[in-house]
Amino acid sequence: MLQQSVAIGPMGFSLHQLMIGFAFVLTLLAGALIGRRHRVAVSDTLFTLLFVAMVAARLVFVVRYWSDYDGLLARLDIRDGGFDILGGVMAGFGYAGWAMWRSPRQRVPLAGALLVGALAWGLTAGSTLLLEQQARPLPATPLLTLNGDPTTLTKLAQQQQQPIVVNLWASWCPPCIREMPVFEEAQQQAQDITFVFVNQGESLQHIHTFMHEHGFNLNHVWQDPSNALGQATGAHAMPTTLYYNADGDLVSTHFGELSRATLQDGLTRIR
């Protein structure tokens, strides 16, 4: 459930991201209410805490995958979704402790606000994570090869007997096009991983023309004319990349454009 996406206009978000946002809003509300009783404002501190956590999460991720980024601008471009959650949480708690030590008046409202936020996340995303411990296998959705032959992901998995990365894309999606060279390079180098590129809702002729015009050399480019795979996996925003281990179980999902670094992070999880 948490690995499903929601499209809001041109942007896509995972349910987990929306739950984190909901928890932070409740944190702000709790901080405002408790702070009013103690006649001290903590909203600025909470926003700074969020900023510190996000910056730290990005820095830790970039350091982990330093060689996979091409220059400073790529390392600053957060559109690839490269964040180290544990690093961010530790930095956030560190800043919260420092803020409460520096300003004793903020201790009660700040601690109360953080407790409300943690409970809100725990009761929503946390409980859902427990339910998601059950395996989510590869869907047996009927698809078509570029030759028009019927096929399925489960059939390919039985043939390959190795982890599978499934990328849902469309030619009208600029991030899909920008990340294809990253996949092309990875497909050539990672022989222990099977990559599948499932086009959503476009004709075979259109896909052929698109691949020829851009000069992409990709294996396992398939067609999903009715967007059935997106519906089956809960991927309602593109691009979406699904990571399955060798047993055919979904391990993680990446929504939006990815970089070489975030792709490597996903591959590490399924190897």
Side-chain angles (χ1 to χ4, degrees), residues 171-188:
S171 65
W172 48 261
C173 164
C176 300
I177 302 173
R178 289 196 299 266
E179 70 182 8
M180 278 192 175
V182 176
F183 279 116
E184 187 174 40
E185 178 184 15
Q187 190 175 58
Q188 294 170 358

Side-chain angles (χ1 to χ4, degrees), residues 79-101:
R79 291 179 299 175
D80 70 346
F83 294 93
D84 187 286
I85 302 301
L86 180 59
V89 170
M90 292 179 64
F93 275 118
Y95 178 80
W98 178 79
M100 287 187 281
W101 172 81

